[in-house]
Structure formats: structure tokens, C-alpha cells
Amino acid sequence: LVQAKMAYRMLHRSHFRSVVAAHSDDSSVELFDMTHRFLEEMPFKPPTKTNRRDEIRTPEGSKYTACTAGAPNVGRALSCHWIHLSEYAFYEDPETLYYGLMQTIGNRPGTGIIIESTANGVANMFRELWVQAVAGKNDFFPLFVPWWSHEEYTKPLRLEEEREINDTLEEDERWLVE
């Protein structure tokens, strides 16, 4: 959804700049490919050009860039409208990247910052930002989407499997199931 929203805004606004940073090279390539596929599968051919493996541009001066969080000086000297930090809890140096990128985005309508991640313990900047957001102590809106809400990550149990599992549950686990 984030990649689609960034692509849509890139196509419908002139000079719209967006950056997505992932925790690994493979993930940044996947996010770039996701956005590129989105544009390729549209019922019309949008006027974009891809001259590098990490960037999409429009004739109106909009640009979408995918990068790896571990690269030195990611985001420096940019002016962004939307930033997506993917798997943020797994960044090697999240503070440097965060404070560098936050200076590239203005606090005005039409801008956005999405920071998402799967959990990675309790001693990291992602968790700190999450706890602050839940407490209303920063400008982020906390949104938790559990893995089990996605049907592709679930598997229906056969009746005998469900009985076998239920027979092994402790009292606190039964309470959680209820």
C-alpha cells in the first residue's frame, strides 16, 4: 500500500520526491521492483523512465528512489515529500539515518513518513519511536497489523489437529485463546 501510494503521488504531482530505505540490499531491490511492477501493470502506460536500478522519474520532475539503510549518508542533500523506512528495527545505524532523513522533509500538508518493521527486541530505536507514538509523545500514528490478519500467513487446522493442540494448552494459553 505504501509503495502504491508513493507511485500514485509521483504520477499525479510535479516535483514530488519520495525515498524508500530498506534494511538490506535485497529488500530495497524488492521494494523498488514492487513499485516498478505496480507502474508496469497499470491499464495505461505512465510516462516514467528508469535509468538506474534504484530510481524512477517522471517528465514533471517527480522522483522515487529506493536505497539501502546501511549506505553512508543516505538521504543527505535531498528534499523529500514522502519517506518510507522499511524494517527499521533491523537498521545498523538507525539514529544517523533517521536524523539525516528527517531534515529532508518539511512539516507541511502532503508530506508523510512511514516507519514500519517487524519486532526485533526491546533495545532499539524502532521500539522507542513506537512506545512514544502509543503514548502520544511524538507525531507518529501507531498502527499494528498482526501477521495472523493476513490470510496468506494462516493455515486452517484439521479438527484432530485443533483437538491435539487444545489438549496441550496451559491455563494461561487457554485464556489467551479465549
Side-chain angles (χ1 to χ4, degrees):
L1 178 61
V2 174
Q3 299 312 106
K5 190 78 166 171
M6 289 170 92
Y8 177 85
R9 287 179 180 227
M10 178 184 68
L11 292 175
H12 291 87
R13 293 185 181 179
S14 64
H15 303 286
F16 179 81
R17 301 295 171 100
S18 59
V19 172
V20 59
H23 69 297
S24 69
D25 290 339
D26 289 346
S27 292
S28 63
V29 168
E30 182 58 33
L31 288 168
F32 177 85
D33 286 347
M34 185 185 303
T35 304
H36 194 260
R37 271 193 315 274
F38 175 79
L39 295 169
E40 290 286 313
E41 297 296 325
M42 294 183 90
F44 65 94
K45 183 68 177 150
T48 61
K49 64 179 179 176
T50 305
N51 57 353
R52 298 184 348 197
R53 184 71 181 133
D54 61 354
E55 191 175 270
I56 302 169
R57 293 178 177 254
T58 70
E60 292 79 28
S62 292
K63 183 167 72 169
Y64 166 93
T65 305
C67 59
T68 303
N73 299 317
V74 168
R76 298 286 179 189
L78 294 177
S79 178
C80 297
H81 297 97
W82 265 48
I83 296 171
H84 175 200
L85 305 179
S86 181
E87 292 295 353
Y88 188 70
F90 296 88
Y91 286 16
E92 289 180 28
D93 186 5
E95 290 85 3
T96 299
L97 184 119
Y98 178 85
Y99 292 115
L101 278 176
M102 293 308 115
Q103 294 177 40
T104 71
I105 192 163
N107 186 12
R108 60 188 179 271
T111 60
I113 303 165
I114 294 92
I115 302 176
E116 50 84 3
S117 190
T118 49
N120 187 21
V122 296
N124 61 65
M125 190 170 177
F126 176 73
R127 183 174 185 282
E128 290 173 29
L129 290 171
W130 172 262
V131 169
Q132 290 171 3
V134 169
K137 294 183 178 179
N138 64 26
D139 291 332
F140 291 107
F141 176 80
L143 175 65
F144 176 69
V145 182
W147 62 267
W148 61 83
S149 68
H150 298 278
E151 191 174 321
E152 66 268 23
Y153 296 129
T154 64
K155 177 182 173 186
L157 295 173
R158 295 188 312 267
L159 188 56
E160 61 272 8
E161 290 173 320
E162 189 173 346
R163 282 190 198 127
E164 183 180 324
I165 290 170
N166 286 333
D167 289 344
T168 65
L169 297 178
E170 302 286 330
E171 184 178 335
D172 60 331
E173 293 171 321
R174 289 182 197 279
W175 177 82
L176 285 171
V177 169
E178 287 178 24

